[in-house]
Amino acid sequence: MGRVFSYSLALSISLIGPVFSQVQFSSSVLNSPQSSVETAVRAVVENYFALYAAKDLDGVMSLWSAKSPDYASLKQNWQRQFATEDYRLSSPRISRAKVEEGTASLRATVDLTATDLKNNQKREQQIVRNFSLIREDGKWKIWRYAPAANDLAEALVNAKTEAERAGLLADEGELVTVELVGALSSQGDRFYNQGGYQQALSIYGLGKVLAEKIADRAGLALALNNIGRVHIRLGVNAKALESYQQSLAL
């Protein structure tokens, strides 16, 4: 799905004597090459959402690089999803577009309404996804897409200082949602399962703070339960009991 550009030429004609005229073209109508490339990248992502809503699996996969490590698993997931649900999507709101030599990235936000084909129940949610694209055989192809909350959660985990974390949260304020709290829980689980209990405790603690901030009761209960699990591992049973009781009350 492409866009059609119309170029308007502002002509200013001034007579200099009776024998000739001078034509001036407004330079503001000319698009830079960077803008044209960004438009092409945006068009790929817009086309992706249109084909997804139409449940056109072949069309969706044609926009992806076959070399992407996620290609096969995504195709299987979408085959299952398209067989069980219908979709209605808003037009994507695109931000944070960045184009470099042979690569591009952007963020797309859409409002999704999914209808279960078995019971006709609907669910509505806002989806925020980060896309990475590559230039392949003269065309832009999607290489990766992921929930923006997952990428932010990973960045928060990798932050070296509390000031760096605070900066990330200030810059990505729109992503401080239930989805981010869940993503932090998953990040904490990763460290917990590897025996990194102090790291897990820090991440679960951040999830707790954010869940309290947005009044996410379910996320807060889970964070408290996870904190209790870590305290058990660390042998701090009194704190574990306190966290478990707070979680149970929610």
Side-chain angles (χ1 to χ4, degrees):
M1 178 173 60
R3 293 186 176 181
V4 178
F5 290 92
S6 60
Y7 295 87
S8 62
L9 298 178
L11 302 180
S12 170
I13 302 177
S14 59
L15 295 178
I16 307 178
V19 291
F20 66 92
S21 65
Q22 179 182 37
V23 181
Q24 297 177 333
F25 294 86
S26 170
S27 62
S28 65
V29 302
L30 300 179
N31 285 327
S32 69
Q34 184 78 358
S35 297
S36 298
V37 172
E38 183 178 317
T39 298
V41 169
R42 287 169 174 258
V44 172
V45 173
E46 291 170 349
N47 200 18
Y48 160 78
F49 284 110
L51 293 170
Y52 184 92
K55 301 198 296 186
D56 183 346
L57 182 61
D58 290 339
V60 168
M61 298 314 302
S62 72
L63 300 176
W64 278 77
S65 168
K67 299 175 183 178
S68 168
D70 301 325
Y71 184 92
S73 60
L74 285 172
K75 184 174 183 179
Q76 291 177 352
N77 289 339
W78 286 328
Q79 279 179 321
R80 289 192 294 266
Q81 291 175 17
F82 290 170
T84 58
E85 291 183 320
D86 281 338
Y87 303 102
R88 188 172 73 250
L89 295 169
S90 67
S91 297
R93 301 179 292 280
I94 294 177
S95 61
R96 298 177 183 260
K98 182 179 180 181
V99 179
E100 296 179 346
E101 186 67 29
T103 64
S105 62
L106 59 78
R107 177 173 296 172
T109 303
V110 298
D111 300 316
L112 165 71
T113 300
T115 303
D116 190 300
L117 295 177
K118 287 186 177 180
N119 54 30
N120 208 38
Q121 289 187 348
K122 294 183 179 181
R123 60 181 173 87
E124 297 181 350
Q125 66 183 108
Q126 185 180 85
I127 295 176
V128 187
R129 295 291 183 265
N130 289 339
F131 284 80
S132 298
L133 300 93
I134 63 171
R135 188 76 171 169
E136 189 176 271
D137 298 328
K139 296 181 180 179
W140 285 103
K141 295 284 187 176
I142 302 172
W143 180 260
R144 172 185 180 268
Y145 93 141
N150 288 7
D151 287 347
L152 177 56
E154 185 173 350
L156 290 168
V157 169
N158 293 331
K160 303 300 182 183
T161 65
E162 289 302 319
E164 187 179 347
R165 280 185 176 180
L168 285 168
L169 290 170
D171 184 51
E172 298 275 24
E174 72 278 7
L175 295 183
V176 181
T177 63
V178 170
E179 192 173 17
L180 178 59
V181 174
L184 285 170
S185 178
S186 297
Q187 287 287 336
D189 290 345
R190 179 166 62 87
F191 283 96
Y192 179 89
N193 293 332
Q194 295 171 354
Y197 301 126
Q198 290 295 343
Q199 296 98 319
L201 186 61
S202 174
I203 298 166
Y204 290 146
L206 178 59
K208 172 180 175 292
V209 170
L210 296 181
E212 290 173 333
K213 180 178 180 179
I214 63 174
D216 175 14
R217 287 174 59 88
L220 179 56
L222 179 59
L224 287 165
N225 183 75
N226 288 334
I227 290 170
R229 286 196 302 149
V230 175
H231 284 316
I232 286 290
R233 290 291 187 178
L234 296 176
V236 190
N237 293 337
K239 286 187 176 181
L241 179 59
E242 180 182 2
S243 293
Y244 281 141
Q245 288 176 331
Q246 292 174 350
S247 176
L248 183 61
L250 289 167

